[in-house]
Amino acid sequence: MRTPTAGRLAALLGTLAAALLCVLTAGAGTASAHAALTATDPRQGSVVPTAPARIELTFSEGVLLGADSVRVLDPKGTRVDAGKPVHTDGRSETAAVALRPGIADGTYTVAWQAVSADSHPVAGAFTFSVGAPSRTTAEVAVAGTDPVVGTLYDIARYAAYAGFALLVGGCVFAGACRAARPVQKLAVGGWITLFVSTAVLLLLRGAYTGGKGPGSVLDLALLGDALSTKPGAAMLTRLLLLSAAAVFLALLFGSYTREGAPPLRDRPSVACGLAAGGTVVAAGLAATWAAAEHASQGVQPWLAMPVDVAHLLAVGVWLGGLAALLAALRADDALPREAVRRFSRLAFGAVCVLVVTGLYQSWRQVGSWSALTGTDYGRWLLVKVALVAAMVASAVFSRRWTARLADGVRPSGPRTGTPAARTADSPERAAQLARQRAAVAKAAGKRRRDADPGRSGLRRSVLTEAAVAVVLLAVTTVLTTTQPGRAEAGQERAGRTGGSSAPARTGPAVVTVAYDTGGTGGRGTARITLGPGRSGANTVDVALTDPAGKPVDVPEAAVSFTEKEKSVGPLRVPLERVSAGRLRASGFQLPMAGRWQLTLTVRTSEIDQVTEIENVDIHD
C-alpha cells in the first residue's frame, strides 16, 4: 500500500530533474571558486623596454600567499625577486613581489604557487623579457600535489564526511527514536573517525598545498603555515568543537543508560536542552566546511554558507540515520514500529532540505546547461543526482516494509536466580552458566528478529540505501576537490583574453611538412617539434627524412616564425646539426601566444630549393 509520505517522496523525485534544469538555465554571474590567473604585469610573453620594479598578478578570486608564492628567475635560473609576496593595496585577489634593482636585459621566468581561497592549491608559470628576448636555462617545475599526500588527503576528507554523518545521524536517531543502546557505538565511532581524520588533514595540509612529499608531514613550519590560513583555522576549530561534542555524547547516552533514570520523554527540559546543544554543536561542525571551501567564495557567499550548513546537516540526519537504523535493526532488541516511522518522517524532511539546498548549490557552482554536461564538476554532479534518486526510490520500498513491521517485546532469557544460587560456591561454574544464558538470549533474539518478515525486508532495503550512501559520500568528496563549472568557464575566458597561465596543450606542438625541391633527391619530410609549444623559451627540433623514412642531411634547412596579426617576425630559429637529419635549437623565444606562421626553407643543391608554410598555435 502506498503511504502518503511515500507518495510525496515519489513526487519529489519526479520534479527533481525538471527543477534542476530550470535553475541551471537561469545561471548568471562571474566565475568563482578555484582561483584562475586573469592578468599579469608585465604581460606574459611581452617584451618591456626597462626592468619593472615589481611583478604583479591578478586572480579571479582571493588567494592565500606563502613566502615562495611568487619566484622570478633570470635567464641563468638565479632568483631576482626580493622580499615576500604581498597583496596589492590589500586586495586578496592580487599578488606582487619586488625585483632586485639593476637586473640585466633578457628573458625572465615567473613561477607562482598559491592556495585558492576555497582551500585548493593552484600554480603556474610564465615568461617576459626585458629589452629583448634571450636564451634561458631557467627550468621551473610547477609544483603539484604529491600523489601519495594527495591520496592520503582525499581518504581523510572522505573519512571526515563519513564520521560527521555517523555522529550527527547516530545522535539524532538516538534522541528522536528513543533507541540509544544499539547506536551508541556508531555515534562514538563517528566522533572518533571525525576527530582522527581532521587531525590527519591538519598535518597533511602544509604538504598538500606546498607540493611536498610525505616526509614533510611532521614539519612544524608547514603546520604553522597551515594553521595561519583559513582552512587550517577551520580544522582547528573543528577539533575544539569535537571536544564539546564529546561532552554532548556523554550527556545524551548517559541519560539513557544511567540506572534508575526516567526516559527522556518524561524529562522535557533535559530533552530540549540536549536538542538545542546538539544542534549548535552540529551546525558549528558543518560551518567549518562551509567557511573554508566552495561556499565561502563566489556568488552570494552570505547565503551560500548557511545553505551549505543546512545541506551538510541534512546529509548527516539522512545518511547517518540510515546507518543508525541499520544498526538498530540488527540488534537483538525489537525496534518498535513507531520508532521506524519517526525516523522515516525525519528522513523525508532531510531529503526535502537536501533537494532545495542542492538545487541552489548546483545553480551556484555550475550556472549553465553547457557546464553541467561539459565540465567534470557537472558530470560528477549528475552522478550524485542519480545516486540520490536511487536512494529515494529505495526509501519508498523501506516505507512499505515499515507498514508491515511488527511490534513486540524482547524475549526474556532463562531464569537466572536459582542456578546462580546453587553454584555460588563455584565462580567458574557461575561464569560458564552466565555465558550460556547470554548465548541463549542472543539466539532467541535473533530468531525473533528473523521471524518478522517486515523487519527482515526493511533491513535489506535499508542496507541497500546504506550501500548507495557509501558511494554517494565518495562522489561528494570528489566534488569538493573538483573545479566548479563556473570557475572552469571563467578560466577559459581568462585564457582567451591572455590572462590565464594554464596551458591548453599538455604536450609540444608538432608540425609535419612534406617538401619537394624538384631536383634529384629533393623529396622528403620535415617533422618540426616545438616544445613546450608555449610563449617563452622553446626547444625546436627538426627531423628530416627521405621517402623511405631514413634520416637525410641537406645543404641547408631554415625555420622561422611570423605572427602576422601583430606584425611580429620573421624570427629565425638558430638551428644546429645534432646528427644525421637532425637539427635543434634550444631556448628559442616566442614572445606571445597566438597563431604563428611557420616557414620552412629546404635547399638540396645549389639551385634546388623550396619554401613551405604552415600554421602553428602557440599557447600561454
Side-chain angles (χ1 to χ4, degrees):
M1 182 178 64
R2 190 183 181 91
T3 64
T5 304
R8 290 197 294 271
L9 282 170
L12 183 64
L13 178 61
T15 58
L16 176 60
L20 181 61
L21 294 179
C22 293
V23 172
L24 289 175
T25 53
T30 58
S32 60
H34 284 64
L37 185 64
T38 58
T40 64
D41 185 15
R43 189 170 59 85
Q44 51 188 334
S46 64
V47 179
V48 296
T50 59
R54 65 178 183 175
I55 305 296
E56 296 184 12
L57 293 81
T58 303
F59 298 88
S60 60
E61 66 168 48
V63 293
L64 307 175
L65 301 177
D68 290 327
S69 287
V70 183
R71 294 175 293 138
V72 185
L73 308 177
D74 68 10
K76 295 181 180 180
T78 304
R79 290 187 63 166
V80 295
D81 52 283
K84 295 182 179 181
V86 296
H87 294 299
T88 305
D89 298 328
R91 294 183 295 128
S92 63
E93 68 275 14
T94 63
V97 67
L99 296 182
R100 295 174 185 173
I103 63 175
D105 289 354
T107 297
Y108 290 80
T109 303
V110 180
W112 57 271
Q113 181 177 358
V115 179
S116 176
D118 66 348
S119 82
H120 299 284
V122 290
F126 67 93
T127 62
F128 72 95
S129 300
V130 177
S134 69
R135 300 181 64 173
T136 178
T137 59
E139 295 184 2
V140 177
V142 178
T145 302
D146 180 85
V148 175
V149 172
T151 300
L152 293 175
Y153 198 84
D154 289 340
I155 292 173
R157 287 173 67 91
Y158 179 86
Y161 282 121
F164 175 79
L166 292 177
L167 174 61
V168 172
C171 291
V172 170
F173 189 91
C177 301
R178 301 165 190 167
R181 182 177 173 274
V183 300
Q184 181 175 359
K185 291 182 179 179
L186 189 79
V188 172
W191 184 94
I192 294 173
T193 301
L194 181 54
F195 187 92
V196 172
S197 59
T198 300
V200 171
L201 285 170
L202 195 54
L203 289 174
L204 290 172
R205 182 68 192 173
Y208 174 74
T209 58
K212 308 292 184 181
S216 61
V217 168
L218 298 179
D219 188 332
L220 294 180
L222 288 177
L223 180 60
D225 291 341
L227 288 173
S228 65
T229 63
K230 184 169 64 172
M235 293 178 195
L236 183 60
T237 303
R238 190 183 305 161
L239 292 176
L240 295 175
L241 285 170
L242 283 171
S243 301
V247 176
F248 173 80
L249 285 174
L251 292 174
L252 174 64
F253 292 104
S255 66
Y256 280 100
T257 58
R258 190 181 303 114
E259 189 173 350
L264 279 180
R265 62 177 177 272
D266 297 334
R267 293 176 291 166
S269 59
V270 175
C272 290
L274 285 173
T279 301
V280 170
V281 173
L285 290 172
T288 61
W289 276 284
E293 295 188 350
H294 290 159
S296 63
Q297 294 296 318
V299 180
Q300 300 173 347
W302 54 270
L303 177 60
M305 289 177 63
V307 166
D308 197 47
V309 169
H311 190 82
L312 286 171
L313 290 176
V315 167
V317 171
W318 187 24
L319 303 190
L322 281 175
L325 176 59
L326 185 61
L329 288 171
R330 292 181 63 86
D332 294 341
D333 295 323
L335 187 66
R337 179 168 50 188
E338 182 55 35
V340 181
R341 287 179 171 174
R342 195 176 296 117
F343 172 72
S344 183
R345 291 191 291 269
L346 275 174
F348 175 75
V351 170
C352 291
V353 173
L354 278 173
V355 170
V356 174
T357 57
L359 286 172
Y360 172 76
Q361 289 177 329
S362 300
W363 165 78
R364 185 175 178 273
Q365 301 292 0
V366 180
S368 66
W369 173 255
S370 60
L372 181 64
T373 57
T375 64
D376 288 340
Y377 188 94
R379 288 186 285 269
W380 278 113
L381 182 61
L382 289 176
V383 173
K384 182 178 179 179
V385 170
L387 290 171
V388 171
M391 289 190 65
V392 172
S394 182
V396 174
F397 290 100
S398 295
R399 283 198 56 82
R400 292 179 179 176
W401 283 114
T402 300
R404 305 178 189 178
L405 194 64
D407 284 325
V409 239
R410 183 180 180 182
S412 59
R415 298 180 63 86
T416 60
T418 304
R422 287 200 305 265
T423 58
D425 56 340
S426 175
E428 295 81 5
R429 178 59 177 164
Q432 182 182 14
L433 289 175
R435 288 193 297 270
Q436 290 175 352
R437 286 193 296 271
V440 170
K442 184 175 182 180
K446 286 184 178 180
R447 284 196 301 271
R448 184 183 182 284
R449 180 191 69 188
D450 297 336
D452 182 357
R455 183 186 180 102
S456 298
L458 179 61
R459 188 170 66 251
R460 289 193 298 269
S461 180
V462 172
L463 182 60
T464 301
E465 290 183 69
V468 178
V470 171
V471 182
L472 180 62
L473 277 179
V475 173
T476 301
T477 304
V478 172
L479 278 171
T480 61
T481 57
T482 302
Q483 188 178 37
R486 284 183 185 268
E488 189 170 328
Q491 196 163 3
E492 290 176 357
R493 286 195 295 271
R496 288 194 294 269
T497 59
S500 174
S501 65
R505 183 193 298 114
T506 57
V510 179
V511 179
T512 301
V513 181
Y515 63 86
D516 185 357
T517 62
T520 303
R523 295 176 59 239
T525 302
R527 179 182 173 87
I528 305 167
T529 304
L530 188 69
R534 300 180 356 210
S535 59
N538 285 268
T539 297
V540 182
D541 191 287
V542 180
L544 301 171
T545 56
D546 61 16
K550 297 181 180 180
V552 59
D553 280 326
V554 296
E556 181 182 357
V559 176
S560 63
F561 289 86
T562 305
E563 220 288 3
K564 291 288 189 180
E565 184 178 343
K566 298 181 175 62
S567 301
V568 177
L571 305 178
R572 185 180 176 87
V573 182
L575 294 171
E576 296 180 358
R577 185 178 183 274
V578 177
S579 60
R582 293 291 300 275
L583 302 103
R584 180 178 297 166
S586 299
F588 174 69
Q589 293 287 330
L590 286 173
M592 65 189 68
R595 170 153 288 194
W596 288 76
Q597 186 182 85
L598 183 155
T599 302
L600 169 69
T601 300
V602 178
R603 181 171 61 83
T604 56
S605 70
E606 292 295 330
I607 59 173
D608 297 318
Q609 178 175 307
V610 69
T611 297
E612 302 288 349
I613 297 176
E614 294 286 346
N615 291 324
V616 58
D617 290 324
I618 302 299
H619 299 280
D620 287 326

